[in-house]
Amino acid sequence: MTTEKLDKSLQTELAALAAEGRAKAPERIITEYIPPANDSGPRYRLAGSSREYIRLNSNSYLSLSTHPALVQAADKATREFGVGPGAVRFIDGTFSYHAALEKRIAEFVGMPCAKIFNSAYTANCGLALSISSPKTHWIGDQLNHNSIIRAMRISNIPSANKGIFKHNDMEDLKRCLDEVPPHIERVVVIFDGIFSMRGDFAPIDAILKVCKPYDDKFKDGVITVVDDSHGIGAYGATGRGTSEHTGVRPDVIVGTFGKAFGVNGGFIAASDTIIEAVRQKADTYIYTNPLSVADCAAALAAIDICDSDQGLDLLDHLGTITTVFRNGLRNMALESIDGPHPVVPLMVRDTARTHDLVNFLYENGVLVVGLTFPVVPKGDETIRFQINACHTHADIDYVLGLIKVFVNKVVPQVPQNVRVTRFSSAGAWA
């Protein structure tokens, strides 16, 4: 027995992915972290290169992963209990740090109870397994994260019990609610808080307003769920994310410790009863080891920082330099999507030029993510910039300067009244 025949079939499938433009590039390996110095933020070295890079593709919005308080907390917990739990949660794999983190994150997001997971991805899947029934109907935003889409698929409900509404379109959400079959007893409306490739946010206040008249129509009501993984810690007056920004809170909040908090893991925060159902029914919680105590201790330290004057200062700086970057793009007449979040998309709307700009930035020491056809539709090609609190004004000026050089370089000199290839405020290379 060998895998020779399977290997051959998989090679054909992988070649097809490459031909379609959907294959992932080889993974770059970070080999060195260089701390901030003078007026520059941290830099990174990659395997095979001596260049120092600025990361504008990191989810670590508050730049806490190297914070001494987190490192010390993780070290202390590891010395107390070791590097791994040795069992799943219900077989004595629950340590004091797990319980403390669940209590702390519930308090932080303003919910009665919480349960932590290895990731927000497994949290979304666990939630779906826990609250779905044959008479449950799921409704989601069309731009929801893959983890939500996967959760809806594994929720063991018929395809007829699912609806998708146009992105942030309240009239279309109403249409989906109107089309729920009459036998349904429970409706779940689920959406991202921050849409990670765009930086725009779900209008939770408007969503709740649309859902409220339908709540009495169903035996178990309409349950609203936000995955605010990119929001919590990264914006809102005190870093509470999209709920704080919109002034309302949905029924369930899913989040992560792996972005603004700079650690690992995810969580579900909701009522005591929902969380107990998760504990009893979520396969992705029950049958896997939990986070290490080091992760939990570091996450606790991160939340404490976020909830302090130091955290507010980081959030203020993050907001300031995000505004500087957004204004810099605007001053060059480049198109983005407005919003307060540090995810800043540059709408290039051309596959070749997106690749060219990503490579140009890479060659000059800047790491960013480019999204091109067929990953996104033709005309929606985008470069995602992610601003972090560790970035300095000098860093942002440097990156804006590179973009300006690139734009000026690729715009040809042509006679007046002839259409030129350039970024327009209308949003296209026109």
Side-chain angles (χ1 to χ4, degrees):
M1 300 286 288
T2 72
T3 65
E4 183 177 349
K5 290 185 289 185
L6 174 60
D7 289 344
K8 186 175 181 179
S9 293
L10 290 177
Q11 287 166 3
T12 300
E13 294 173 20
L14 293 170
L17 285 176
E20 294 166 5
R22 295 192 293 128
K24 302 292 187 295
E27 295 175 8
R28 295 187 290 244
I29 300 172
I30 295 174
T31 58
E32 185 180 357
Y33 167 79
I34 303 168
N38 301 320
D39 61 349
S40 297
R43 298 292 189 268
Y44 298 82
R45 283 202 174 93
L46 305 177
S49 174
S50 60
R51 183 183 294 278
E52 297 178 3
Y53 291 90
I54 305 172
R55 289 189 69 188
L56 265 78
N57 59 357
S58 170
N59 299 320
S60 188
Y61 300 115
L62 294 182
S63 304
L64 293 177
S65 62
T66 57
H67 193 289
L70 273 68
V71 175
Q72 291 166 12
D75 181 68
K76 177 178 180 295
T78 300
R79 292 179 186 279
E80 286 181 60
F81 292 113
V83 297
V88 297
R89 291 287 296 268
F90 75 95
I91 306 180
D92 297 326
T94 298
F95 289 74
S96 57
Y97 285 98
H98 297 116
L101 180 55
E102 287 168 343
K103 182 174 185 295
R104 186 71 176 91
I105 191 60
E107 293 171 347
F108 186 81
V109 299
M111 287 296 198
C113 198
K115 190 56 62 179
I116 59 175
F117 285 73
N118 286 317
S119 67
Y121 201 112
T122 54
N124 275 323
C125 293
L127 178 68
L129 293 168
S130 303
I131 67 173
S132 289
S133 72
K135 294 185 178 182
T136 299
H137 190 96
W138 285 74
I139 298 174
D141 188 291
Q142 72 177 132
L143 296 187
N144 276 345
H145 186 266
N146 178 272
S147 62
I148 297 176
I149 296 169
R150 181 64 60 186
M152 291 173 68
R153 287 175 179 168
I154 69 170
S155 59
N156 298 321
I157 60 174
S159 58
N161 288 13
K162 299 174 186 176
I164 303 296
F165 63 95
K166 297 175 184 176
H167 178 55
N168 280 349
D169 187 326
M170 296 302 100
E171 284 301 313
D172 207 41
L173 171 58
K174 185 176 184 301
R175 174 192 61 79
C176 288
L177 289 162
D178 286 334
E179 292 177 356
V180 175
H183 70 280
I184 291 297
E185 296 180 348
R186 181 184 310 166
V187 175
V188 181
V189 177
I190 188 167
F191 44 89
D192 281 308
I194 290 294
F195 293 86
S196 60
M197 295 301 169
R198 298 167 53 89
D200 59 345
F201 63 90
I204 302 179
D205 48 346
I207 291 172
L208 297 188
K209 185 177 180 180
V210 170
C211 291
K212 186 175 181 180
Y214 294 86
D215 193 51
D216 292 336
K217 183 178 177 180
F218 307 102
K219 174 179 172 289
D220 296 336
V222 178
I223 310 304
T224 53
V225 181
V226 65
D227 178 345
D228 208 17
S229 291
H230 284 269
I232 293 171
Y235 84 131
T238 62
R240 264 66 177 184
T242 309
S243 292
E244 184 171 46
H245 183 72
T246 58
V248 294
R249 189 180 297 122
D251 300 303
V252 181
I253 296 176
V254 177
T256 184
F257 303 110
K259 294 182 171 56
F261 294 133
V263 196
N264 275 317
F267 66 87
I268 301 169
S271 69
D272 294 330
T273 303
I274 289 175
I275 296 305
E276 179 60 13
V278 167
R279 193 179 76 86
Q280 296 289 348
K281 297 172 66 177
D283 292 357
T284 55
Y285 172 84
I286 297 169
Y287 298 108
T288 185
N289 275 7
L291 293 172
S292 71
V293 292
D295 283 322
C296 294
L300 281 163
I303 298 169
D304 286 344
I305 290 171
C306 290
D307 224 4
S308 70
D309 289 342
Q310 182 184 6
L312 292 177
D313 288 343
L314 287 170
L315 197 61
D316 181 67
H317 173 69
L318 178 60
T320 297
I321 59 171
T322 297
T323 299
V324 170
F325 187 72
R326 287 184 178 276
N327 287 341
L329 296 182
R330 189 175 295 112
N331 292 339
M332 285 184 272
L334 305 183
E335 182 196 7
S336 185
I337 297 174
D338 288 337
H341 195 272
V343 167
V344 184
L346 175 58
M347 310 303 292
V348 182
R349 301 195 183 279
D350 181 275
T351 292
R353 285 190 174 83
T354 299
H355 288 310
D356 288 346
L357 180 50
V358 169
N359 290 335
F360 178 76
L361 292 171
Y362 176 78
E363 290 165 1
N364 286 278
V366 181
L367 304 177
V368 295
V369 173
L371 304 168
T372 59
F373 178 81
V375 176
V376 296
K378 286 184 177 180
D380 284 350
E381 292 86 354
T382 306
I383 295 176
R384 181 177 70 172
F385 294 89
Q386 291 172 278
I387 312 303
N388 291 182
C390 65
H391 295 141
T392 67
H393 285 273
D395 294 336
I396 298 303
D397 289 344
Y398 175 70
V399 176
L400 288 171
L402 289 175
I403 296 172
K404 186 174 183 179
V405 168
F406 178 85
V407 171
N408 290 336
K409 178 181 176 182
V410 300
V411 175
Q413 298 297 317
V414 294
Q416 195 172 9
N417 299 324
V418 175
R419 288 174 63 83
V420 299
T421 303
R422 69 171 71 245
F423 278 117
S424 73
S425 57
W429 289 84

